[in-house]
Amino acid sequence: MPLTRRAFTVGALSAAAAASGALSLPRGALAAANTAYAMAYFTETPNGIGADYGLHLAVSRDGLNWTPLNQNNPVVTPTAGQLGLRDPFVLRRTDGTFVVLATDLKGTNWGLTSQYLHVWDSADLTAFTGYRRIRMHTLDTHTWAPTAFWDAARGQYAIVYSANNGRDVLFVNYTSDFRTVSASQVYFSPAFGVLDGDVVVDGGTTYLYYKNLDDGYLYGARSTTAAPNSFTTYTSGLRQGNAIEAPLLLRTNEGGWRLWGDSFSPVNNDYYAWSTTTISGNSWTPLNQRDYTPPLNSKHGSMIGITDAEYAGLVNRWGTPNWVRLKSSNFPDRYVRHADRIARVDAYPFDPYQDQMWRMVPGLADAAGVSFESVNYPGNYLRHYDYAVRLDPNDGTATFRADATFHRTAGLADATWSSFRSYNYPTRYLRHYDYRLRIDPLGAGSPAVDRQDATFRVTA
């Protein structure tokens, strides 16, 4: 059966497929179903403060809400070429191990020529070995946004990427080992420029999603052979936000599909997503940003299904963040942050991005509660003063400790989220009003909008 790193679910493999020789997986992998997800990405922020061009990893149980690993620091960084990467892509190979491909580019010099891709091997994404660069072509152009899939008809992997041969098209090279590759050839070249291809195989059909550079929308094309120049566009254009690129396809462990797109305007670094029950139709439904939370500062990544054991191994190896963010329930594009000592909810992304990062520690006045210490201003905490919430240094007084302590409760508007009740004014809850944080008297009988203002998702 054909497979790709995103469409491939280990537990769905049949004994017949394994016996046919189309797959060569470890015995344990055949018995283990994908129950979680991993994501690879690099980071940027609107003003570049959070730019890091190494390989970052995150994990998720639902494929929607992501936990960065290694404190959102890179797990490996290229040591050759431009000494940085963009657009990392993870593929599970037919033997159950992984390969990572990435653009050889550090920064945003779009005019830079590079004929190479970065490549690593990995058994389980807890270590990366065999680092190398592979030369994909001899053109005086870029080699951007790689994706790869197993082409069963050829018995090889196809590596598809963006390049320019007079205009922007998608190229392909074939390989058996991700060390030597065939000569490059044009893979997809419609009557307009295209960028950022992503390819998945589902049954007997290969799907290619791409950005149309003429109108700025994302589209899907398909082919029954996966051969170069055999794809026909079958969807209408998709876009959320003002500008979008980098389509990312994910088949969920439950059998549905999601499409992610990376927005770069009006500010850089925001994701949007769609869902569908069947990739063969033209029926993508936009997801509300309340339903998903990408990793902090993540850009142009890839997602893949993983097993319970792989999920545990990643968390044990790289660790989860020692900080949290607070996402607004009714303004899900906004996060709690401090600005000029005032606590507020602002639209993500922003710089300094660290203003939204908090260490949620045992309450200063009551260890059964919580206090929020600023990551970039250690020793400073969110506290209320005249019912307004601000960031102040801990002065050691009992009053400060009480003002900076909250009891976490089930969300007033959504019990799966959280609300925070003031320790020393127990009828009052942390809420936003006109985007500023304060504590107000609230309860189950309060108007819905007030309860929504007081409900947050604790995330990373």
Side-chain angles (χ1 to χ4, degrees):
M1 79 184 262
L3 59 143
T4 73
R5 53 99 185 177
R6 292 171 186 144
F8 173 36
T9 304
V10 178
L13 301 175
S14 68
S20 72
L23 300 167
S24 176
L25 290 168
R27 181 176 305 227
L30 285 172
N34 288 339
T35 57
Y37 305 86
M39 179 178 179
Y41 57 98
F42 70 102
T43 62
E44 280 183 339
T45 57
N47 296 333
I49 295 173
D52 190 294
Y53 301 100
L55 176 66
H56 294 67
L57 293 177
V59 291
S60 173
R61 282 296 185 186
D62 61 7
L64 292 168
N65 297 286
W66 295 88
T67 300
L69 300 176
N70 200 36
Q71 304 303 321
N72 211 28
N73 295 314
V75 298
V76 70
T77 300
T79 56
Q82 296 301 311
L83 304 179
L85 63 78
R86 298 178 70 95
D87 323 321
F89 172 91
V90 181
L91 171 76
R92 192 191 290 274
R93 289 188 278 206
T94 57
D95 65 358
T97 64
F98 300 91
V99 65
V100 179
L101 307 171
T103 300
D104 180 12
L105 179 60
K106 182 178 182 179
T108 57
N109 182 357
W110 311 129
L112 190 67
T113 293
S114 177
Q115 302 163 344
Y116 294 83
L117 293 175
H118 298 297
V119 186
W120 289 267
D121 302 309
S122 182
D124 54 12
L125 303 180
T126 65
F128 299 87
T129 60
Y131 170 69
R132 56 204 179 270
R133 291 193 309 153
I134 53 175
R135 192 177 191 182
M136 305 303 290
H137 57 78
T138 58
L139 300 173
D140 184 20
T141 185
H142 50 260
T143 310
W144 289 347
T147 185
F149 67 98
W150 173 253
D151 188 325
R154 290 178 178 265
Q156 288 185 300
Y157 300 97
I159 305 173
V160 178
Y161 54 93
S162 297
N164 187 299
N165 65 350
R167 62 189 178 92
D168 289 289
V169 301
L170 300 183
F171 275 75
V172 67
N173 301 64
Y174 296 95
T175 184
S176 298
D177 56 9
F178 293 96
R179 293 182 177 274
T180 60
V181 298
S182 68
S184 63
Q185 56 185 301
V186 173
Y187 194 64
F188 183 61
S189 179
F192 44 84
V194 294
L195 198 66
D196 296 344
D198 194 24
V199 182
V200 300
V201 183
D202 185 44
T205 304
T206 301
Y207 295 91
L208 165 64
Y209 275 64
Y210 62 90
K211 176 177 179 175
N212 179 326
L213 290 174
D214 278 10
D215 65 14
Y217 285 77
L218 307 182
Y219 290 86
R222 59 190 172 194
S223 167
T224 57
T225 66
N229 304 305
S230 65
F231 288 85
T232 302
T233 297
Y234 74 101
T235 71
S236 53
L238 297 165
R239 187 173 75 188
Q240 297 183 63
N242 291 338
I244 202 159
E245 60 187 3
L248 187 168
L249 284 163
L250 175 70
R251 184 164 70 183
T252 69
N253 295 332
E254 297 74 33
W257 293 86
R258 296 193 191 110
L259 173 67
W260 298 72
D262 196 346
S263 178
F264 56 91
S265 176
V267 291
N268 185 37
N269 195 52
D270 203 3
Y271 270 103
Y272 293 97
W274 295 260
S275 67
T276 187
T277 56
T278 173
I279 194 173
S280 62
N282 182 19
S283 56
W284 291 100
T285 300
L287 295 179
N288 189 309
Q289 284 186 298
R290 192 178 186 278
D291 298 328
Y292 59 90
T293 309
L296 176 65
N297 301 335
S298 56
K299 285 282 292 179
H300 199 149
S302 62
M303 299 174 184
I304 184 169
I306 57 174
T307 67
D308 264 344
E310 289 165 341
Y311 180 95
L314 283 164
V315 170
N316 290 338
R317 171 65 179 90
W318 302 113
T320 56
N322 56 15
W323 43 266
V324 301
R325 296 188 292 157
L326 299 178
K327 179 176 183 174
S328 168
S329 173
N330 50 348
F331 291 89
D333 64 329
R334 291 178 178 262
Y335 290 77
V336 172
R337 58 90 59 94
H338 62 83
D340 297 325
R341 294 286 174 181
I342 303 300
R344 49 183 298 117
V345 290
D346 276 356
Y348 172 88
F350 50 77
D351 274 322
Y353 71 91
Q354 299 96 330
D355 290 354
Q356 67 194 296
M357 300 167 69
W358 307 98
R359 301 200 194 283
M360 194 165 69
V361 301
L364 298 181
D366 180 357
V370 298
S371 294
F372 296 97
E373 182 184 14
S374 168
V375 165
N376 55 346
Y377 288 84
N380 287 252
Y381 294 81
L382 289 182
R383 58 88 59 95
H384 63 82
Y385 186 87
D386 284 341
Y387 304 135
V389 178
R390 50 180 293 114
L391 183 75
D392 281 338
N394 183 359
D395 63 10
T397 64
T399 297
F400 182 94
R401 293 195 299 271
D403 289 349
T405 299
F406 303 88
H407 284 280
R408 184 178 181 178
T409 71
L412 293 177
D414 182 340
T416 66
W417 289 41
S418 297
S419 292
F420 297 92
R421 178 169 51 82
S422 169
Y423 166 75
N424 51 351
Y425 289 86
T427 64
R428 292 177 178 261
Y429 285 79
L430 187 70
R431 60 89 58 93
H432 63 81
Y433 184 85
D434 198 21
Y435 301 135
R436 294 194 175 198
L437 263 62
R438 53 180 294 110
I439 57 169
D440 279 347
L442 293 172
S446 299
V449 66
D450 292 336
R451 288 184 283 114
Q452 290 164 0
D453 288 350
T455 300
F456 304 89
R457 184 183 186 96
V458 180
T459 187

